[in-house]
Amino acid sequence: QQKVQQSPESLSVPEGGMASFNCTSSDRNFQYFWWYRQHSGEGPKALMSIFSDGDKKEGRFTAHLNKASLHVSLHIRDSQPSDSALYFCAASERGNYQLIWGSGTKLIIKP
Amino acid sequence: EAAVTQSPRNKVAVTGGKVTLSCNQTNNHNNMYWYRQDTGHGLRLIHYSYGAGSTEKGDIPDGYKASRPSQENFSLILELATPSQTSVYFCASGDRDREVFFGKGTRLTVV
C-alpha cells in the first residue's frame, strides 16, 4: 500500500470555483507535508508546506493538516485556467532527506 | 531562484545502448535526486545523493547507476537501455526539511 494516498485522481472545476485535494498518509512518523504543482512539460514546483496542525493560507491557496488523522488537504479558491496542472502531495519524516510522494491529482479548470 | 538544469531534454536511444542523463544545480544543495515519472505511477525515486561522492539506491534502482562527482553534478546512467526505461526523468536538489527544486525533465525513448 502506498504510504501517501491522494484523491481524487482527477478533478474538473469551473473557472472561479473551488478546487479541493486530499491526501492521507499511513505513517505516523511523517511530520512535514508539501503540496507541489506540475504544469505540462515542466518539473514539479513547490506550492506550500505545512508542518503544524490547522490551516495555512497563502493567497488563493489554503492547506489544512490534521496529524491525528494523518490527513492533509489543499483548497484553491477562485480557480484560474493557469491552475490546470498535476498536483502532488508529499510527506517526510523530520530530518529525513527523502520525500514520499502521492500519485497526483490532475486538475482541469473549465473556462 | 534555485536552478536545476538537465541535459539532454529529449533523447532517443537504442535497446542495449548506454545512456547518460546529466544534471547540474547551482543551489549548493547537499541532496540530489533522480526520479522517473510515468502515467499512473507519479514520481518514483531511482537514486539519490547526500553529497559529492555519495550515491544511494532509491525505490526502483534496478537497471540504473548514478554518479555524483561534485556538489553541482549528478548523473543517471543506463548501461543497457531497455524499452521499459522509456519515461520522463527528473533531477532535483534540496536540503533536509526544505523545498525540493526540480529540473524541466528529460524525455527518454528507448526503441
Side-chain angles (χ1 to χ4, degrees), chain B residues 26-46:
Chain B
T26 58
N27 314 315
N28 198 33
H29 288 151
N30 290 319
N31 307 325
M32 295 188 74
Y33 310 86
W34 276 106
Y35 292 92
R36 64 177 283 176
Q37 184 174 33
D38 304 285
T39 304
H41 288 280
L43 291 163
R44 292 187 288 175
L45 182 65
I46 306 170

Side-chain angles (χ1 to χ4, degrees), chain A residues 63-81:
Chain A
H64 177 80
L65 174 60
N66 183 328
K67 286 189 178 181
S69 61
L70 300 177
H71 181 261
V72 61
S73 59
L74 177 69
H75 307 276
I76 307 174
R77 64 171 176 82
D78 189 24
S79 295
Q80 302 298 308

Side-chain angles (χ1 to χ4, degrees), chain B residues 14-28:
Chain B
V14 295
T15 297
K18 182 177 180 178
V19 177
T20 300
L21 306 183
S22 300
C23 178
N24 175 276
Q25 57 112 349
T26 58
N27 314 315
N28 198 33

Side-chain angles (χ1 to χ4, degrees), chain A:
Chain A
Q1 183 188 12
Q2 266 192 306
K3 282 190 172 184
V4 175
Q5 294 188 300
Q6 267 187 262
S7 64
E9 282 189 19
S10 62
L11 183 61
S12 183
V13 173
E15 185 174 350
M18 175 78 82
S20 295
F21 313 94
N22 295 295
C23 182
T24 303
S25 73
S26 59
D27 190 335
R28 291 201 169 274
N29 292 318
F30 289 152
Q31 295 288 314
Y32 295 165
F33 295 85
W34 294 83
W35 286 99
Y36 280 74
R37 179 166 75 177
Q38 182 182 24
H39 286 109
S40 181
E42 300 284 327
K45 184 174 172 58
L47 268 178
M48 58 194 303
S49 61
I50 185 165
F51 303 156
S52 303
D53 277 331
D55 291 337
K56 181 177 181 181
K57 186 178 178 181
E58 293 185 1
R60 295 184 296 112
F61 300 86
T62 300
H64 177 80
L65 174 60
N66 183 328
K67 286 189 178 181
S69 61
L70 300 177
H71 181 261
V72 61
S73 59
L74 177 69
H75 307 276
I76 307 174
R77 64 171 176 82
D78 189 24
S79 295
Q80 302 298 308
S82 59
D83 293 327
S84 294
L86 192 56
Y87 289 77
F88 289 103
C89 169
S92 69
E93 297 178 25
R94 182 174 182 172
N96 196 308
Y97 296 93
Q98 288 194 53
L99 281 172
I100 307 302
W101 295 84
S103 57
T105 296
K106 184 176 182 179
L107 174 65
I108 297 171
I109 303 300
K110 298 179 295 184

Side-chain angles (χ1 to χ4, degrees), chain A residues 96-98, chain B residues 23 25 28-35 45-58 65-76 91-96 100:
Chain A
N96 196 308
Y97 296 93
Q98 288 194 53
Chain B
C23 178
Q25 57 112 349
N28 198 33
H29 288 151
N30 290 319
N31 307 325
M32 295 188 74
Y33 310 86
W34 276 106
Y35 292 92
L45 182 65
I46 306 170
H47 284 287
Y48 60 101
S49 168
Y50 295 131
S54 90
T55 60
E56 304 290 336
K57 294 181 179 180
K65 290 183 180 179
S67 173
R68 181 91 181 267
S70 65
Q71 179 81 342
E72 297 79 19
N73 295 296
F74 191 36
S75 299
L76 185 68
C91 176
S93 75
D95 278 332
R96 187 173 54 190
V100 172

